[in-house]
Amino acid sequence: MKSMEEMMQAAQAAAETIQKQMNEAQAKLDTIEVEGTAGGGLVKIRCTAKGRILGVAIDDSLIVPEDKQMLEDLITAAFNDARGKADQAAGKEMQAAQSGMGLPPGLNIPGFS
């Protein structure tokens, strides 16, 4: 049987490994890109799985002063579409990171839910 000190050292090492893997997974999320669209592709927003907006593309046909409200609504819809996809990608990535750590399913660790 291991001594209490050896078990504490093993627990500390495991915690450090988990923290490192969490940091790596979080960093990877900022490299995963998703695209949200609205208006049949007339408005597109690219963002990372962490939700950082990378770019907005608006079709020239939408740049009409009378359609300002519609354009704003489409941008909002495209952002929400991109954010939903980002959340899905983040959840999938964090789930993969958690399963790679050998943790039991359903264990609630901050940053993995």
Side-chain angles (χ1 to χ4, degrees):
M1 180 148 79
K2 292 183 179 181
S3 71
M4 184 61 96
E5 184 176 328
E6 289 173 323
M7 289 192 313
M8 292 297 288
Q9 288 174 346
Q12 179 64 30
E16 289 171 3
T17 299
I18 290 171
Q19 183 64 44
K20 180 181 176 192
Q21 290 173 337
M22 280 181 49
N23 290 341
E24 289 170 356
Q26 287 289 330
K28 186 175 181 182
L29 291 179
D30 207 35
T31 66
I32 297 171
E33 290 186 25
V34 295
E35 180 178 81
T37 62
L42 294 174
V43 176
K44 299 175 184 177
I45 294 182
R46 288 182 314 109
C47 70
T48 68
K50 284 186 87 170
R52 184 171 54 93
I53 301 300
L54 300 173
V56 175
I58 302 170
D59 188 273
D60 289 342
S61 68
L62 294 176
I63 310 299
V64 178
E66 299 82 39
D67 295 335
K68 182 179 184 290
Q69 183 64 49
M70 180 185 71
L71 179 58
E72 292 170 348
D73 292 344
L74 287 171
I75 291 170
T76 300
F79 174 78
N80 289 331
D81 183 45
R83 184 68 231 181
K85 290 176 181 176
D87 289 344
Q88 288 176 346
K92 185 176 181 181
E93 189 62 33
M94 296 309 286
Q95 187 175 39
Q98 184 177 0
S99 69
M101 292 178 202
L103 299 173
L107 182 64
N108 189 12
I109 297 176
F112 284 93
S113 40

